[in-house]
């Protein structure tokens, strides 16, 4: 009995000794106090009893409430006070920079963000009281993003879409959590500044078990109804070439056309161009693609092999560059892969000659056999030349500044440029699919690029003829597919070129566009006779100097200035043209913006942030899309009165998502 009493006394004494020792530690100093009860401690700042265990005390010291209570009491240790008072202003600045830099290092944040952090702190932390009083934890930060900033951006977009015409850009994809997402972008002419704007409205979650056209359309329609956006305001739609989206009978588009009979639909021009290039490349031997993939796979998978390749490049005095990999989703990568391979052709031949001896792998032997095949090199030299046509066309319509009026002219241009390489001169102007094969030039007159031509001179006549025939198949297939997929002779897209100042402001350019009847049929409340009159008097309404000034502006700015003109009665001079322009300017030219949204999704929802719920993910993408469209960033963005109104406890934590691990 005495032994148990003495052991209890010893434990109690040791507990008191530990408490007294912990009171002198920096992490507990100033707020930890002894408690009369056994195995208990007391927090002065929180007025709370805590179990006297070091783990529990440390956990309590890291809680948000405890930290806020310490800050509100202006708590500082004597050592910190002495240190801060002894530092000069210059050293305090250094201290701040060092602590912020360690913040970047501790949390694995990209150093590039420091370019925005410094001016942002200077802008928001001018008042010391604000710095002391503001609090921003993880949950609150996510709530502000969803329920304040993103909500305000969506309100602004919805306000416009309720009254003005707009087009939709849609695409579906799968994120890293195997969740189906459909991005819904809208393109409209902003009533506030008359600028063409393309923004994300929402990322819609789809049930991966049922992604039929009917289900997708139901979710889309429900989204518009919840936001009270009239579906009749939709005038155009752009999507990829998936049948579930653009099929004629049972697709999203066919269901939308029931609601909007005058809907203008456009397959993504960039995607169509990539499909055309892919189909044309299939006319060449598959060994070309096998070589590109094989070399990249063999070398890039090993650091040792990459280092050896670098040594070979140094020996041959070629700049050290990686061998590029082919990608199914990057539309412009094939030519870059071909060019990089040709630049290192002799390097790779010697590299794989050594690899076959040292590694003794069948894959190395196959690659060396391909590299020694002159016909494969000839095909790659041809691709280096021919793929320029597709890449230039594709890159043009990935631009944010291009408008749909360039589609008809650019389509005709790229088709004729390709056809000029193999068709007889008289047949280039009027190309038809039925007569394509009957109007080719003699095989010796086909243009395949100067490098390929020179290389073919070193080969036998029979081999050169065979290669040229394959190149001819490439051209014929490319032009045939383009005639199917691009608006080469479409009268509607032809009349859309009226937006060009060369046609709108000068009568000399109107030879092919006399009236705008094909477009006017797609627009409600337009008087075709009055529209024809307004279109006819447009060139004579401005003098030469005014025309030059208007033509120097962006297309949307030019038409905004034109439509502001009034007659002697103070009425608008071109009211029907204004209705037409409002619709035409919001027609989409490609679906590249949707692909950019999915790039943001990949950037935001990384492996370490894979628990972000779709609501938060959508909100982040909405904000970033809005910032890109309006040329904003976190520094020049200014919250307005509506932001402050939404920033309240009731709104912030309404429908809080608990799965965010951002």
């Amino acid at each position: 009995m005495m032994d148990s009493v003495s052991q209890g006394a010893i434990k109690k004494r040791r507990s008191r000794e530990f408490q007294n020792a912990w009171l002198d530690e920096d992490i507990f100093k100033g707020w930890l106090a002894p408690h009369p009860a056994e195995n208990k401690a007391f927090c002065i700042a929180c007025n709370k009893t805590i179990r006297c265990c070091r783990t529990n005390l440390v956990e309590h010291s890291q809680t948000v409430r405890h930290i806020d209570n310490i800050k509100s009491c202006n708590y500082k240790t004597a050592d910190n006070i002495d240190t801060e008072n002894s530092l000069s202003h210059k050293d305090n600045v250094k201290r701040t920079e060092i602590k912020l830099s360690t913040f970047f290092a501790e949390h694995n944040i990209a150093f590039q963000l420091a370019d925005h952090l410094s001016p942002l702190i200077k802008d928001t932390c001018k008042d010391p009281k604000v710095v002391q009083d503001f609090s921003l934890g993880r949950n609150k930060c996510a709530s502000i993003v969803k329920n304040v900033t993103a909500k305000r951006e969506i309100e602004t977009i919805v306000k416009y879409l309720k009254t003005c015409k707009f087009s939709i850009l849609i695409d579906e994809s799968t994120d890293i959590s195997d969740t189906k997402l459909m991005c819904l972008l809208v393109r409209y002419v902003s009533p506030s500044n008359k600028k063409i704007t393309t923004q994300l409205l929402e990322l819609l979650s789809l049930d991966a078990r049922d992604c039929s056209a009917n289900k997708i359309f139901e979710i889309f329609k429900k989204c518009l109804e919840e936001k009270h956006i009239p579906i009749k305001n939709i005038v155009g739609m752009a999507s990829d070439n998936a049948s579930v989206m653009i099929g004629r009978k049972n697709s999203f588009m066919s269901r939308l056309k029931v609601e909007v009979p005058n809907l203008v639909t456009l397959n993504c021009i960039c995607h169509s161009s990539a499909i055309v290039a892919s189909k044309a490349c299939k006319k060449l031997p598959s060994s070309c693609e096998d070589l590109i993939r094989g070399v990249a796979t063999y070398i890039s998978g090993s650091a040792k092999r990459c280092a050896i390749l670098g040594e070979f490049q140094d020996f041959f005095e070629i700049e050290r560059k990686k061998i590029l990999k082919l990608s199914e989703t990057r539309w412009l990568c094939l030519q870059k892969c071909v060019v990089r391979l040709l630049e290192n052709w002799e390097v790779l031949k010697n590299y794989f000659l050594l690899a076959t001896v040292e590694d003794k792998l069948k894959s190395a032997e196959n690659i060396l056999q391909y590299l020694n095949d002159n016909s494969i090199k000839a095909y790659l030299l041809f691709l280096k030349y021919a793929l320029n046509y597709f890449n230039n066309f594709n890159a043009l319509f990935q631009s944010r500044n291009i408008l749909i009026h360039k589609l008809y002219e650019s389509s005709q241009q790229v088709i004729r440029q390709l056809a000029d390489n193999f068709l007889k001169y008289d047949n280039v102007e009027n190309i038809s699919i039925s007569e394509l094969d009957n109007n080719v030039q003699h095989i010796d007159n086909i243009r395949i690029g100067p490098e390929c031509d020179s290389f073919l001179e070193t080969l036998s006549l029979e081999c050169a003829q065979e290669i040229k025939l394959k190149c001819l198949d490439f051209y014929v297939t490319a032009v045939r597919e383009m005639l199917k997929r691009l608006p080469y002779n479409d009268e509607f897209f032809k009349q859309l070129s009226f937006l060009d100042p060369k046609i709108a402001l000068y009568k000399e350019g109107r030879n092919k566009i006399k009236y705008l009847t094909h477009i006017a049929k797609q627009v409600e409340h337009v008087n075709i006779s009055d529209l024809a009159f307004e279109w006819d008097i447009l060139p004579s309404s401005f003098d030469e100097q005014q025309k030059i000034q208007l033509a120097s502006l962006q297309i949307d700015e030019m038409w905004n200035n034109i439509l502001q003109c009034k007659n002697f009665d103070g009425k608008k001079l071109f009211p029907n043209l204004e209705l037409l322009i409002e619709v035409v300017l919001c027609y989409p030219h490609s679906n590249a913006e949707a692909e950019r949204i999915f790039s943001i999704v990949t950037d935001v929802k990384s492996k370490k942030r894979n628990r972000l719920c779709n609501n938060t993910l959508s909100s982040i993408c909405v904000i970033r899309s809005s910032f890109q469209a309006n040329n904003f960033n976190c520094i020049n963005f200014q919250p307005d009165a509506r932001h402050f109104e939404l920033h309240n406890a009731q709104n912030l934590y309404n429908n809080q998502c608990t799965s965010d691990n951002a």
Side-chain angles (χ1 to χ4, degrees):
M1 184 70 178
M2 290 296 292
D3 291 341
S4 62
V5 172
S6 61
Q7 288 178 1
I10 291 171
K11 288 182 180 179
K12 189 179 293 185
R13 186 176 70 252
R14 287 180 178 175
S15 176
R16 296 296 181 190
E17 289 175 356
F18 283 133
Q19 283 189 16
N20 293 333
W22 291 343
L23 293 175
D24 294 329
E25 292 190 23
D26 290 339
I27 191 173
F28 304 125
K29 189 183 292 184
W31 60 268
L32 184 64
H35 193 277
E38 185 180 351
N39 293 329
K40 297 290 183 180
F42 187 75
C43 175
I44 300 173
C46 301
N47 193 27
K48 183 178 180 181
T49 301
I50 316 164
R51 183 171 177 267
C52 191
C53 171
R54 185 177 184 84
T55 302
N56 294 88
L57 295 175
V58 172
E59 287 179 354
H60 175 76
S61 69
Q62 295 174 348
T63 61
V64 175
R65 180 183 175 187
H66 177 83
I67 294 171
D68 290 342
N69 289 336
I70 292 294
K71 288 181 178 179
S72 63
C73 296
N74 293 323
Y75 167 77
K76 288 184 181 179
T77 64
D79 293 339
N80 287 341
I81 294 172
D82 292 340
T83 302
E84 290 183 14
N85 289 337
S86 63
L87 292 178
S88 64
H89 172 73
K90 186 175 181 180
D91 286 340
N92 268 322
V93 172
K94 291 180 179 179
R95 177 177 176 273
T96 302
E97 292 173 349
I98 292 170
K99 287 182 73 67
L100 287 175
S101 299
T102 55
F103 169 79
F104 277 75
E106 179 187 357
H107 298 286
N108 193 29
I109 300 173
F111 296 136
Q112 186 180 9
L113 300 185
D115 294 339
H116 277 198
L117 181 63
S118 180
L120 184 64
I121 291 176
K122 291 178 181 178
D123 179 57
T124 56
C125 298
K126 296 175 182 177
D127 188 348
K129 292 183 179 179
V130 173
V131 179
Q132 293 295 326
D133 292 342
F134 96 96
S135 61
L136 191 65
R138 184 186 70 185
N139 291 337
K140 189 174 184 179
C141 182
S143 298
I144 291 174
V145 167
K146 290 184 292 186
N147 300 325
V148 178
T149 316
K151 189 173 183 178
R152 175 59 175 144
E153 295 300 329
I154 293 173
E155 284 180 354
T156 304
I157 300 173
V158 170
K159 176 185 174 183
Y160 294 151
L161 301 185
K162 286 180 179 179
T163 57
C164 67
K165 302 294 184 181
F166 65 95
S167 292
I168 59 171
L169 294 81
I170 54 176
D171 196 6
E172 57 176 324
S173 183
T174 307
D175 73 5
I176 63 172
S177 302
D178 294 331
T179 304
K180 275 281 190 180
L181 296 174
M182 184 173 79
C183 97
L184 172 58
L185 291 103
V186 291
R187 183 178 175 88
Y188 60 96
V189 179
S190 173
S192 58
N193 57 16
K194 299 301 179 183
K195 291 284 187 182
I196 303 169
T197 307
T198 305
Q199 285 183 242
L200 176 67
L201 181 63
E202 189 174 342
L203 275 179
L204 301 173
S205 300
L206 303 177
D207 186 350
R209 296 169 299 178
D210 184 6
C211 289
S212 62
N214 187 55
K215 189 66 176 179
I216 293 174
F217 184 72
E218 284 179 4
I219 294 173
F220 164 77
K221 193 173 181 180
K222 182 181 178 182
C223 173
L224 295 189
E225 289 173 350
E226 288 176 349
K227 294 175 172 56
H228 306 290
I229 300 173
I231 197 170
K232 296 292 185 182
N233 284 356
I234 299 175
V235 294
M237 167 190 162
S239 178
D240 60 13
N241 292 273
S243 58
V244 71
M245 288 295 178
I246 60 163
R248 291 184 179 181
K249 293 184 178 180
N250 186 21
S251 66
F252 180 93
M253 179 196 72
S254 63
R255 285 165 171 78
L256 184 56
K257 277 200 168 185
V258 173
E259 304 278 350
V260 188
N262 292 330
L263 181 75
V264 174
T265 58
L266 183 70
N267 299 358
C268 178
I269 293 301
C270 299
H271 192 214
S272 297
S273 174
I275 291 175
V276 170
S278 177
K279 287 183 177 293
C281 287
K282 288 180 180 178
K283 296 298 179 180
L284 304 180
S286 61
S287 51
C288 298
E289 184 176 337
D290 293 341
L291 175 61
I292 296 172
R293 294 188 185 278
V295 171
T297 302
Y298 189 90
I299 295 176
S300 63
S302 167
K304 178 183 176 181
R305 292 171 182 173
C306 290
I308 295 173
L309 177 64
E311 293 178 359
F312 272 90
Q313 290 173 328
D314 291 340
F315 179 79
F316 282 90
E317 297 182 347
I318 292 176
E319 184 181 354
R320 283 198 177 202
K321 290 182 178 179
K322 290 183 178 180
I323 301 300
L324 301 177
K325 288 184 177 182
L326 274 177
S327 171
E328 297 295 336
T329 56
R330 297 187 180 276
W331 296 325
L332 307 180
C333 74
L334 177 57
Q335 189 190 35
K336 293 180 180 179
C337 293
V338 169
V339 171
R340 185 66 53 86
L341 195 67
L342 289 171
E343 288 174 348
N344 291 271
W345 193 266
E346 292 302 320
V347 173
L348 291 170
K349 283 176 69 173
N350 287 273
Y351 174 89
F352 281 99
L353 186 63
L354 177 65
T356 54
V357 176
E358 293 187 346
D359 297 343
K360 297 180 180 180
L361 295 174
K362 187 66 178 177
S363 57
E365 293 178 8
N366 292 337
I367 292 172
L368 181 61
Q369 186 178 353
Y370 285 147
L371 290 169
N372 288 323
D373 188 341
N374 287 329
S375 63
I376 293 179
K377 185 176 182 180
Y379 288 125
L380 293 177
L381 288 170
F382 167 70
L383 283 176
K384 179 182 177 181
Y385 167 77
L387 289 175
N388 278 311
Y389 296 102
F390 303 93
N391 286 2
N392 292 339
F393 181 77
N394 201 320
L396 174 67
F397 285 95
Q398 287 187 44
S399 170
R400 285 192 171 102
N401 298 324
I402 199 73
L403 293 178
I404 197 169
H405 73 286
K406 288 288 186 182
L407 181 54
Y408 177 79
E409 177 187 345
S410 300
S411 297
Q412 286 216 327
Q413 187 178 37
V414 69
I415 290 174
R416 287 172 179 168
Q417 286 172 346
L418 276 170
D420 195 43
N421 288 318
F422 72 97
L423 282 186
K424 296 175 183 177
Y425 179 77
D426 296 337
N427 302 103
V428 172
E429 289 299 318
N430 298 304
I431 306 171
S432 64
I433 296 178
S434 59
E435 300 179 3
L436 197 60
D437 294 319
N438 301 324
N439 294 308
V440 298
Q441 298 181 28
H442 188 271
I443 194 71
D444 292 331
N445 296 327
I446 294 173
R447 289 202 290 270
I448 55 177
E451 291 181 274
C452 186
D453 253 334
S454 299
F455 187 75
L456 289 185
E457 292 176 0
T458 64
L459 306 180
S460 65
L461 180 61
E462 183 181 353
C463 181
Q465 292 287 337
E466 183 183 351
I467 292 171
K468 286 187 175 182
L469 284 173
K470 292 285 186 182
C471 295
L472 175 60
D473 283 344
F474 177 97
Y475 280 138
V476 172
T477 303
V479 172
R480 181 180 289 114
E481 291 295 324
M482 282 190 167
L483 289 172
K484 291 178 183 177
R485 298 174 184 273
L486 301 185
Y488 176 67
N489 277 326
D490 191 298
E491 190 64 29
F492 175 80
F493 286 97
K494 177 181 177 181
Q495 289 195 2
L496 285 176
S497 57
F498 83 95
L499 291 172
D500 195 315
K502 295 178 182 178
I503 297 175
L505 299 175
Y506 298 94
K507 289 193 174 183
E508 295 81 3
R510 298 193 173 198
N511 296 331
K512 297 181 180 180
I513 304 179
K514 189 175 182 181
Y515 302 113
L516 304 176
T517 51
H518 282 79
I519 311 174
K521 292 176 182 178
Q522 306 294 325
V523 183
E524 296 178 352
H525 311 303
V526 170
N527 187 306
I528 295 180
S529 298
D530 291 344
L531 176 65
F533 172 74
E534 293 170 16
W535 174 243
D536 193 48
I537 66 170
L538 179 59
S540 57
S541 300
F542 304 95
D543 59 34
E544 193 62 31
Q545 186 63 34
Q546 289 173 325
K547 290 179 182 179
I548 295 173
Q549 185 178 358
L550 287 169
S552 65
L553 302 174
Q554 294 287 340
I555 294 294
D556 52 356
E557 293 180 6
M558 180 194 82
W559 280 102
N560 184 36
N561 288 348
I562 290 173
L563 298 175
Q564 296 303 317
C565 294
K566 297 181 180 179
N567 58 22
F568 58 90
D569 290 334
K571 296 180 180 179
K572 289 187 176 181
L573 196 58
F574 308 107
N576 289 279
L577 260 178
E578 184 174 12
L579 292 173
L580 191 70
I581 294 296
E582 180 189 2
V583 171
V584 170
L585 286 181
C586 68
Y587 284 151
H589 58 272
S590 78
N591 218 36
E593 286 294 337
E595 301 297 337
R596 293 188 178 102
I597 294 298
F598 286 123
S599 295
I600 296 176
V601 170
T602 306
D603 186 30
V604 172
K605 196 165 185 178
S606 60
K607 290 182 179 179
K608 291 187 176 181
R609 302 181 75 190
N610 60 3
R611 289 181 60 204
L612 275 176
C613 69
N614 289 342
N615 187 18
T616 305
L617 180 63
S618 176
S619 299
I620 295 172
C621 292
V622 165
I623 293 171
R624 290 182 58 171
S625 174
S626 173
F627 278 20
Q628 289 177 0
N630 298 295
N631 199 24
F632 285 163
N633 57 40
C634 60
I635 301 170
N636 60 24
F637 164 70
Q638 295 297 332
D640 57 24
R642 179 58 178 160
H643 287 97
F644 302 141
E645 183 183 341
L646 292 170
H647 193 303
N648 60 76
Q650 183 179 1
N651 180 61
L652 278 183
Y653 302 107
N654 184 29
N655 297 324
Q656 179 70 23
C657 181
T658 58
S659 65
D660 289 343
N661 187 22

